[in-house]
Amino acid sequence: MDEIDVADNLSTVRRRIIDAEQCFGRTKGSVNLLAVSKTKPEAMIREAYAAGQRAFGENYVQEGVEKAIALSDLDIDWHFIGPLQSNKTRVVAEHFAWVHSIDREKIARRLGEQRPGHLPDLNVCLQVNISGEASKSGIHTDEVPALARAIAALPGIRLRGLMAIPAPTKDPAAQRLPFAALRALLSELQSEHPSMDTLSMGMSGDLEAAIAEGATIVRIGTDIFGARAPA
């Protein structure tokens, strides 16, 4: 197995982001890179940090919290991007700066109540099942306005935007459709919720399509850290 050069991979992904910003008329620097480090060792995160990466995404609560503690000497912006159960909200509220996967008011309420007072409000995104897949987490588009209104009123958290994981396809035109739908949904919400400035969408295989349709955060794992090791 070839050794993974994290710094070189990061450089390649950053070039893709810059090229897409230029290609689709986006402001330079308007797209932030979230390095998805789930299942990857702390040493690789340190490599990415040394190469200038500061925002990292984790899908699993215990693994993410353990990494946040072990890497507390680094100024990392931790994002939780996986499903979250109510009995695990406290440690996420204590160790993460962002949660992208909110799909219930109860989870958001617990996060806000459990957010330590010395930390800034927790940034949250609503996860939208933009492709309507039965197997995917997230709320349907018609449920978003009511949930956004309920969550915006909660203390301890700041409603920042929307997140989605569309059904995979390799067709660039087809990739853009759900991203465009998510962008339109955010636009509808912004008059009532001006703090909503974030579209968390796009991964290794479709980041260009996501940037074309307004992504502000792209979540990249495989193209930085390599494929997940087989179980």
Side-chain angles (χ1 to χ4, degrees):
M1 181 176 173
D2 295 334
E3 186 174 342
I4 295 169
D5 189 329
V6 172
D8 187 60
N9 288 350
L10 266 173
S11 179
T12 299
V13 170
R14 288 172 180 149
R15 282 198 300 270
R16 284 178 66 189
I17 292 172
I18 290 170
D19 288 347
E21 286 176 337
Q22 293 176 339
C23 179
F24 298 110
R26 299 289 303 279
T27 302
K28 183 178 180 181
S30 61
V31 181
N32 296 302
L33 172 59
L34 180 62
V36 178
S37 48
K38 65 177 180 181
T39 77
K40 301 303 178 182
E42 295 161 15
M44 294 184 84
I45 298 175
R46 289 188 180 276
E47 286 182 58
Y49 186 92
Q53 183 63 27
R54 293 296 179 267
F56 292 85
E58 290 287 331
N59 285 62
Y60 310 115
V61 174
Q62 182 175 346
E63 178 190 349
V65 170
E66 288 174 355
K67 288 177 180 176
I69 293 171
L71 299 167
S72 60
D73 58 308
L74 305 181
D75 181 27
I76 287 178
D77 196 30
W78 290 104
H79 295 232
F80 188 76
I81 59 176
L84 182 56
Q85 299 172 331
S86 59
N87 64 343
K88 295 182 178 179
T89 52
R90 182 176 297 278
V91 288
V92 170
E94 291 171 346
H95 291 95
F96 286 80
W98 286 74
V99 175
H100 292 229
S101 48
I102 300 295
D103 59 5
R104 286 175 288 160
E105 180 186 355
K106 176 184 177 182
I107 296 295
R109 185 180 299 279
R110 287 177 64 88
L111 287 167
E113 291 171 350
Q114 295 166 344
R115 183 71 167 170
H118 68 280
L119 294 177
D121 287 352
L122 183 66
N123 298 294
V124 302
C125 293
L126 307 185
Q127 183 171 354
V128 182
N129 188 346
I130 199 67
S131 300
E133 295 176 273
S135 61
K136 286 278 177 69
S137 300
I139 58 173
H140 292 289
T141 54
D142 57 357
E143 301 173 297
V144 171
L147 184 59
R149 195 169 295 118
I151 287 177
L154 297 176
I157 59 175
R158 185 179 181 210
L159 180 60
R160 291 295 301 272
L162 304 176
M163 183 270 264
I165 308 171
T169 174
K170 293 184 178 180
D171 175 24
Q175 287 175 348
R176 290 183 63 162
L177 294 175
F179 294 142
L182 198 72
R183 173 175 49 82
L185 183 58
L186 181 71
S187 181
E188 292 173 9
L189 295 165
Q190 284 175 321
S191 59
E192 184 177 351
H193 308 286
S195 67
M196 296 185 74
D197 57 4
T198 299
L199 282 173
S200 170
M201 60 188 196
M203 298 187 289
S204 293
D206 57 12
L207 74 84
E208 284 84 4
I211 290 172
E213 295 297 343
T216 62
I217 296 176
V218 291
R219 309 180 307 271
I220 310 299
T222 300
D223 281 4
I224 297 172
F225 298 110
R228 191 188 309 190

